[in-house]
Every structure is written in C-alpha cells, then in structure tokens.
Amino acid sequence: MDDLNDLNDLDDLGDLDDLDHRILSALHRTGADPRVAGAARTLSRAGEHGALWLAAGLLGAAADRPRRGAWLRATALTAGAHVVSMGVKRVVRRPRPAHVAPRVRTAGRHSFPSAHATSATAAAVAFGALGAPAVAPLAAAMCLSRLVVGVHYPSDVAAGAALGALTACLGKRWMTKGCRG
C-alpha cells in the first residue's frame, strides 16, 4: 500500500512539472508584445550578477551617510545571497527551459534557482528594512521578467525568491546593528 502512495506522490510531481511548463508558456507569450519583451530584457540585463541591486545599495550608502554601514551590510547580504544561489545552481544543475525560445542570452546553462530572483528578493527585504519600499515592486518585476524572457521555470523563480528572502532575514540583525534612525 505504501508503494501505491509513493506512485501517487510521483504523479503529483509530474503535475507540478506540467504546471511549471504551462505557467512559463503563458507568461512567455506576454513577451509577444514588443514593449513587454523590451522591458523584460532590460530588467534581465540590469539584474545580471545582481548589478542593479549592488548599485542601488551603494547609492543608498552614499545618500544615507548616518546609516552607511547598514546600507553596505545590506548590499553585502544581497551579494552573498547571489553567491549562494550560484552555488546551489551548480549542485542542482537543472537545465533551462527548452520548450520556449529565450529572449535573452544567459551567463550560464543552469536554471535552479533563479539568481536574479535571489538577489532581487534579498535586496527587497534588506533595503526595505532600511526604508526603501520601492525596491519590492521592482524586485517583483525582475522576477517576472525571467519568465517573460523564457529562461526560468516559475519554480526556479520561487525558489530563488525564497532563498533571497531567507538570506536577508537571517542577516537582518547584523545588517541593522548600530543603525540610527
């Protein structure tokens, strides 16, 4: 009887895989609109290796002198989250989606987790804790852009976002230590 339950669990995984493919296909189709595709490509390029978030963190450190240390630590957390996601990606080695045509070139062949989603969500949590709530909608758009350009499955993006949030939350106390105002 336990063997039958195990088989049902495997069927559920197949259903999740199918759902992953269908959601990606639907969101990828939105990129048929050149404006949507252009915005998604721009976000994807800006987020490569966490560049947008690192620049935003350094800008925050320059603009908010009393909390410069907190901004620099938040930026380090964001970079650290990106590095962790790259390590996980090398262990898991999930191939990128093959059933949709990618709209951008990627730095690597592996898909899980999305490093863009990891760094974007880490930045949203860390910079949000420092009073920059506008980062969260931009991070969400970054996450969606990876689906529109067809280089990640939704589960890659969800896992990356969870990893980024976890990393930032775990480092939040360190990030804000001695923080004024």
Side-chain angles (χ1 to χ4, degrees):
M1 190 64 166
D2 285 335
D3 290 336
L4 288 177
N5 287 336
D6 290 342
L7 288 176
N8 287 335
D9 290 344
L10 291 176
D11 286 342
D12 291 345
L13 289 175
D15 290 345
L16 290 174
D17 190 48
D18 180 56
L19 183 61
D20 227 12
H21 279 76
R22 287 186 298 141
I23 292 170
L24 171 58
S25 295
L27 289 169
H28 186 264
R29 279 192 298 275
T30 67
D33 180 326
R35 295 167 298 181
V36 174
R41 278 194 295 270
T42 298
L43 281 168
S44 286
R45 289 180 189 129
E48 197 64 49
H49 303 295
L52 174 65
W53 313 113
L54 300 178
L58 295 175
L59 183 62
D64 188 358
R65 293 179 65 81
R67 297 186 304 165
R68 175 175 282 156
W71 277 99
L72 292 174
R73 287 187 293 275
T75 304
L77 280 174
T78 301
H82 180 79
V83 169
V84 169
S85 73
M86 297 306 292
V88 173
K89 199 176 279 234
R90 282 174 174 70
V91 171
V92 175
R93 303 176 67 84
R94 182 184 194 184
R96 292 199 184 268
H99 71 284
V100 295
R103 292 191 168 96
V104 294
R105 294 181 62 124
T106 58
R109 298 181 314 233
H110 302 119
S111 185
F112 183 92
S114 166
H116 279 70
T118 302
S119 58
T121 306
V125 171
F127 301 161
L130 294 173
V135 175
L138 185 57
M142 176 75 69
C143 291
L144 282 173
S145 78
R146 303 307 283 165
L147 302 169
V148 172
V149 298
V151 296
H152 284 290
Y153 293 102
S155 59
D156 301 334
V157 172
L163 180 60
L166 177 65
T167 303
C169 286
L170 289 174
K172 204 175 200 178
R173 181 174 293 167
W174 169 73
M175 181 191 80
T176 58
K177 75 176 184 175
C179 191
R180 291 176 274 148

